[in-house]
Amino acid sequence: MAGAPPALYEGATGLLADARSSATAGLAAGERIDPFWSDFWPVGSKASWVNVHQMRRQVASGFARVPYWLNGNGTAALQRLHGHRLQETLAIVGALTVWQNMSAEQLAAVTGVARVATGRSALMTDLFHLGFVEVGVHADALRRTDRSARSNLYRLTRTGAIERTLYPLTSYAERLKVTAGVEEGAIGAGMHDRHGVVATELGLRIAETGSVAVMLGEHLGRVQDLISGGWHPSFDADAVALRGDGLRVAIELTASTSNVPAKLARWARLLASKPLRDSGLIVLFVTAENPNIDSSVSRNVRKRTFDAVRLAVRNTPGFPGNRTAERIGVIDWRDWYPSPGRVSPWAAALNVWFPSGPPDVPWEMRSLADPFDVEFSPRFDATAAIDNLGRCFGNPQWLRSGHRTVDPVAAHLAGLYGYAPTDLAPRVSNNGIPAGVIPPRQRW
């Protein structure tokens, strides 16, 4: 049928464990538990979460006992919060701020703190008892193994403990590496745990290919930060990749089609109003329907998303030189990772489909990693975002080196708001948050 979605990738594949990776040894994609193909979402898409306050109440009521790896003491944990451990804590809080919820292995990969990958590290136990993080586990009737703990999930709490306890110990520059200047308050994750973990895994795998300069999560994917002002703060992407020339790829991961048409219509209107040379923005939809559900209840997310992309660019085509069909791409997880432990050649090149061809054969494949295949000639300093964000703790640790700036904002911006980048945190205000913080919004 004319215009039908292209077939899934069916060519030769390689071992994911053999694929090139910039991640720390033992933490690469081929060595982590695969959150897409591994069936560890026994009930819907949620984990079972607990924070230190819930733990204390449940233990006091006799309802639960504390597992050995969560035994700890907040007072002792606070006494250890200095020196190298403080820097590791900042890296962890920064990663969870940007990616929102992560498995133990993913958190270790982004931060470079390898022992966190066990899911039972003393460092994470300390952060749990300090009230900084919550722990999520996958629960069903099966007995857990030693490897199971590596799939434990972490997210920040929303109790204010980070602002009260951690931030007063940090410098202005350190807080900027945690927050990227977006906001100081700790942001906990939402309710869709599978979505968050699979999106984080996708971002990590893209970063491991070496095809991008910066890779960041949902917290820094808001459109008003990507292109500045005029858009609702809830309009965001699940992840954002920055190519070396400053091209921004806003990534939308979808496992259902309930709101895909509305999202696409919104993105198409945005792209039509903001030419590529002025915004540097391309959108990629990645379909990731749970492959382990019964085929009889599949919602055929891939086909419906491809069809919705075609409809969106037809309804909002843009104008000559700024065709939305050349700026909204789509790919399925299985096109890049066709089966457990396998990877296709399309993944390293970031090959995706665009509906930019003629009506009878609309789908054309282009490589997002290739600046000659997806050209970008900006009329603004597109690489400034790489300098500003490259050192953020949410950026995977192997991508943080080699940037021109020392801190995630230019020194004159820090001076403009009253602090040199090396100044200690200012006096704590009545609400427990350091006074004099940067404004809640700064364009990348």
Side-chain angles (χ1 to χ4, degrees):
M1 184 175 66
L8 276 168
Y9 180 83
E10 296 180 345
T13 63
L15 283 172
L16 186 59
D18 294 338
R20 182 184 68 175
S21 174
S22 303
T24 302
L27 299 175
E31 298 166 293
R32 296 191 298 269
I33 297 172
D34 190 327
F36 180 81
W37 288 107
S38 297
D39 195 6
F40 59 49
W41 304 99
V43 181
S45 62
K46 299 178 183 178
S48 176
W49 292 93
V50 66
N51 61 41
V52 67
H53 307 293
Q54 294 167 330
M55 180 199 75
R56 289 168 181 162
R57 289 193 294 268
Q58 291 184 30
V59 170
S61 67
F63 178 73
R65 291 185 299 175
V66 181
Y68 76 90
W69 51 273
L70 272 184
N71 271 320
N73 179 281
T75 301
L78 183 59
Q79 292 174 346
R80 289 189 286 266
L81 192 59
H82 60 82
H84 186 61
R85 202 177 189 89
L86 175 60
Q87 295 306 309
E88 291 178 331
T89 298
L90 288 170
I92 289 165
V93 171
L96 291 173
T97 295
V98 171
W99 292 98
Q100 304 204 355
N101 64 345
M102 310 173 76
S103 73
E105 291 180 323
Q106 292 172 342
L107 185 58
V110 169
T111 61
V113 185
R115 66 186 186 280
V116 169
T118 64
R120 296 171 175 172
S121 71
L123 172 58
M124 296 308 297
T125 299
D126 275 0
L127 301 192
F128 176 81
H129 282 274
L130 287 169
F132 293 176
V133 301
E134 299 178 356
V135 180
V137 297
H138 307 281
D140 59 22
L142 301 178
R143 290 177 63 102
R144 302 295 96 183
T145 69
D146 289 340
R147 185 166 169 76
S148 301
R150 300 176 73 89
S151 70
N152 286 352
L153 305 185
Y154 296 104
R155 67 186 182 191
L156 298 183
T157 64
R158 305 186 188 189
T159 61
I162 290 173
E163 295 89 330
R164 291 192 304 269
T165 305
L166 178 63
Y167 284 167
L169 303 176
T170 63
S171 71
Y172 178 71
E174 287 169 332
R175 292 201 309 279
L176 287 174
K177 290 179 183 179
V178 171
T179 67
V182 173
E183 54 190 45
E184 290 260 337
I187 303 297
M191 298 298 292
H192 303 290
D193 299 326
R194 178 185 183 272
H195 182 277
V197 173
V198 174
T200 301
E201 184 64 23
L202 178 65
L204 270 170
R205 293 188 184 188
I206 291 173
E208 287 178 56
T209 66
S211 302
V212 299
V214 173
M215 187 73 235
L216 297 166
E218 182 176 1
H219 187 59
L220 296 180
R222 285 180 279 199
V223 167
Q224 61 181 18
D225 297 318
L226 284 167
I227 62 172
S228 181
W231 298 89
H232 195 275
S234 66
F235 186 7
D236 57 19
D238 295 316
V240 181
L242 274 72
R243 206 168 65 180
D245 57 3
L247 179 76
R248 293 119 162 96
V249 181
I251 299 170
E252 288 272 22
L253 184 86
T254 181
S256 69
T257 56
S258 57
N259 60 351
V260 166
K263 280 187 175 182
L264 277 163
R266 202 176 189 186
W267 279 115
R269 290 194 299 270
L270 168 65
L271 297 178
S273 67
K274 298 286 186 179
L276 180 62
R277 59 188 178 181
D278 295 326
S279 66
L281 186 61
I282 280 180
V283 180
L284 171 62
F285 273 72
V286 179
T287 56
E289 184 176 15
N290 190 335
N292 301 304
I293 62 175
D294 191 291
S295 59
S296 64
V297 298
S298 170
R299 290 162 289 186
N300 207 353
V301 172
R302 183 179 186 273
K303 179 184 184 303
R304 291 184 178 183
T305 302
F306 271 83
D307 292 343
V309 169
R310 281 201 70 200
L311 180 63
V313 302
R314 185 175 65 191
N315 291 341
T316 311
F319 54 84
N322 184 41
R323 295 178 59 211
T324 56
E326 296 176 345
R327 296 177 64 191
I328 301 180
V330 60
I331 199 73
D332 188 90
W333 182 282
R334 296 164 295 174
D335 286 316
W336 285 356
Y337 308 103
S339 59
R342 308 296 296 185
V343 59
S344 83
W346 290 1
L350 304 185
N351 284 351
V352 304
W353 295 104
F354 287 87
S356 52
D360 56 333
V361 189
W363 295 105
E364 297 180 324
M365 177 162 281
R366 289 190 284 164
S367 167
L368 293 177
D370 187 347
F372 297 101
D373 210 5
V374 179
E375 297 181 351
F376 178 42
S377 301
R379 296 194 292 194
F380 65 103
D381 184 3
T383 60
I386 298 174
D387 295 329
N388 290 344
L389 295 170
R391 304 269 305 176
C392 290
F393 289 128
N395 194 25
Q397 50 90 16
W398 61 88
L399 295 179
R400 288 186 218 146
S401 61
H403 296 289
R404 293 196 299 268
T405 53
V406 174
D407 294 300
V409 295
H412 77 271
L413 180 61
L416 181 64
Y417 292 102
Y419 306 100
T422 55
D423 279 350
L424 293 177
R427 172 183 56 83
V428 177
S429 61
N430 291 334
N431 61 5
I433 299 175
V437 297
I438 61 176
R441 278 282 172 268
Q442 289 293 337
R443 185 183 177 185
W444 282 13

